[in-house]
Amino acid sequence: MRKFISLLLFICSINILAAELPPAPQPEALQTAVDDFFAEHRKDKDFRSMSFWSRDFSAESSACECPFSCSSKDAKLAAVLKAFVTDEKNSYQYIHEVAGSGMLYSTNVGEISPRIVTRKSTDQEFYMLCAKNALNPRFRVMYAIAFVRKNNGGEEILEGTLFKVSSPRTDFSEEELNDAPKAQRYMLEGVFDDELRDDVTMIGLKCPEPGSRWETGIWKERVFEGRFVYKTSLFKNTDILYSYVYKDGSKSPWRILEATPNTNVKVLFHKHDHEFIDMEALGTDDKKTGEKKAVDKAEETLKTYSVMLKSINDQIKELRKVKSSAPDYESVKNRLKKLHSQAEEITDKMQRLAEKVAKELE
């Protein structure tokens, strides 16, 4: 049984990211160019961002449409067109139609949503690139642009629409699906300390994980009486960025919160950092034996505790950089003392959990 306890503790001490299959190649240049173009035009009145759930509410598709009329010398538009060509090698489907030839195109967004027409006329030049979602082979991301060239007083103008669609693939194989990591539930309950309780009206969240519901922008949660709750699904341990929106409309810098799939976490947010208060590993819905479920849940809990310890360790490292001559050094010392106490408490919890599971399995 000692061996079992040691094994559980070893599991949480190793790299918490599970071994994965090599991810599908990603059109990184195009991703960046399209997101930069959207960031510049997101406030335009014709910009559209949509989300659609599947019939059984198990998956969410999304689409962004960005009509534009720009000079052919516009740097961000030029970067998009160049990236379509550059990233052809990182796609599983690529199309380029010159004006005056080819076909019309449309794409599916979800099971219960209308198709989006991406090329309405053969007068438009057209690019389309599809890439597999890096973590969920059932989904793909499609980028498309259709435009006509016009002359405006001797200046060439490109007028058209840029699209980004995340939706189910129709050509995925069952082998890919079976080998893929599964999305798991994640719930974040946020609590603000007394200093922030009445000043923060909203929290913005960003997650770089492909396929997440906030991949193409910022997800905002209203803060009510100093609290908020966010629920989503994640494929792997992920760094979530968060930023406060204050009553006067100002925003805090972006900071990092580590998130682990299949957990509920309660986090106390301070002005410049955060701390984990509590966590719970969620149960699975499969038909594993009671013993196997107990071991799996303990393993997930230990992994989450290790994420909490890493967060505390990172904060300690930053605080130790503060010089003793700093005017707020006393508060830094108090914060360090509190962080060390939290680390000891989490370590004790890990040990007690491992011993509890071992005893139950005797």
Side-chain angles (χ1 to χ4, degrees):
M1 208 51 63
R2 288 175 179 269
K3 184 177 179 182
F4 173 77
I5 295 173
S6 299
L7 176 61
L8 283 179
L9 292 175
F10 174 73
I11 287 171
C12 73
S13 66
I14 62 174
N15 189 345
I16 56 177
L17 297 181
E20 299 173 357
L21 296 173
Q26 296 298 294
E28 294 180 2
L30 185 57
Q31 289 172 352
T32 300
V34 169
D35 287 346
D36 286 349
F37 192 85
F38 282 169
E40 186 169 286
H41 294 273
R42 191 174 292 276
K43 293 183 179 179
D44 294 354
K45 64 178 182 178
D46 294 326
F47 184 94
R48 291 206 304 161
S49 180
M50 302 159 284
S51 296
F52 305 94
W53 286 98
S54 58
R55 287 189 177 90
D56 61 0
F57 296 97
S58 62
E60 185 181 23
S61 302
S62 63
C64 290
E65 292 184 34
C66 183
F68 62 86
S69 180
C70 302
S71 166
S72 60
K73 297 180 181 178
D74 182 273
K76 285 185 167 50
L77 181 58
V80 170
L81 296 176
K82 179 180 179 181
F84 267 103
V85 178
T86 302
D87 273 325
E88 176 183 1
K89 62 183 181 297
N90 295 320
S91 68
Y92 70 85
Q93 185 179 16
Y94 176 83
I95 293 170
H96 178 209
E97 302 278 22
V98 298
S101 65
M103 304 166 52
L104 305 183
Y105 293 89
S106 64
T107 187
N108 70 301
V109 182
E111 296 175 329
I112 56 178
S113 62
R115 293 181 68 85
I116 292 179
V117 178
T118 50
R119 193 192 193 200
K120 300 177 180 179
S121 167
T122 55
D123 292 335
Q124 295 176 311
E125 186 170 353
F126 179 74
Y127 288 88
M128 183 182 76
L129 185 153
C130 294
K132 297 177 183 178
N133 184 294
L135 295 173
N136 185 2
R138 184 188 287 273
F139 269 62
R140 59 84 192 263
V141 180
M142 184 217 72
Y143 301 91
I145 188 169
F147 59 91
V148 294
R149 299 177 184 269
K150 295 184 177 181
N151 187 293
N152 183 19
E155 181 183 16
E156 185 180 49
I157 301 296
L158 303 188
E159 188 174 287
T161 306
L162 177 62
F163 303 87
K164 181 177 181 180
V165 177
S166 175
S167 61
R169 284 170 54 200
T170 57
D171 63 334
F172 76 92
S173 67
E174 288 299 328
E175 288 76 16
E176 285 181 290
L177 186 62
N178 292 335
D179 289 339
K182 304 296 188 294
Q184 295 178 302
R185 294 170 292 168
Y186 172 78
M187 187 179 84
L188 167 64
E189 179 185 354
V191 181
F192 291 92
D193 66 14
D194 291 339
E195 183 181 8
L196 294 176
R197 178 182 174 86
D198 297 322
D199 289 334
V200 176
T201 61
M202 187 183 300
I203 186 166
L205 303 165
K206 288 200 300 185
C207 179
E209 178 174 311
S212 68
R213 63 190 299 180
W214 47 44
E215 179 192 358
T216 57
I218 301 171
W219 187 265
K220 295 180 179 178
E221 286 290 345
R222 288 283 178 188
V223 176
F224 180 70
E225 294 185 349
R227 294 174 177 268
F228 74 93
V229 174
Y230 184 78
K231 299 178 181 179
T232 190
S233 295
L234 299 173
F235 289 96
K236 64 176 184 177
N237 291 60
T238 304
D239 285 343
I240 295 175
L241 300 178
Y242 67 89
S243 175
Y244 308 144
V245 180
Y246 299 103
K247 279 185 177 179
D248 62 3
S250 62
K251 299 177 183 178
S252 71
W254 290 101
R255 298 186 178 89
I256 295 175
L257 170 74
E258 299 84 354
T260 302
N262 205 42
T263 56
N264 289 349
V265 296
K266 188 173 183 180
V267 178
L268 177 62
F269 290 94
H270 305 290
K271 190 171 183 179
H272 299 296
D273 57 25
H274 63 271
E275 60 186 275
F276 290 91
I277 302 174
D278 199 7
M279 58 75 57
E280 176 190 6
L282 302 176
T284 57
D285 298 325
D286 56 23
K287 297 180 180 179
K288 296 176 183 176
T289 65
E291 182 175 300
K292 177 63 173 171
K293 285 183 178 180
V295 173
D296 286 352
K297 186 172 181 178
E299 180 181 333
E300 289 300 323
T301 302
L302 288 169
K303 286 180 180 179
T304 303
Y305 278 141
S306 69
V307 172
M308 295 166 69
L309 283 173
K310 179 180 180 298
S311 174
I312 291 172
N313 187 52
D314 290 343
Q315 292 179 63
I316 289 173
K317 286 181 179 178
E318 286 302 311
L319 290 172
R320 281 178 175 169
K321 295 178 183 178
V322 178
K323 295 182 178 179
S324 58
S325 58
D328 60 343
Y329 187 67
E330 277 303 313
S331 63
V332 170
K333 282 173 49 178
N334 292 334
R335 181 79 183 122
L336 278 169
K337 184 177 179 181
K338 188 174 182 180
L339 287 170
H340 282 296
S341 177
Q342 290 173 353
E344 290 177 5
E345 183 180 347
I346 291 172
T347 303
D348 288 343
K349 286 182 177 180
M350 294 169 74
Q351 182 67 37
R352 289 198 299 271
L353 174 61
E355 291 174 352
K356 177 183 176 183
V357 176
K359 186 175 181 180
E360 289 175 352
L361 296 180
E362 287 179 347

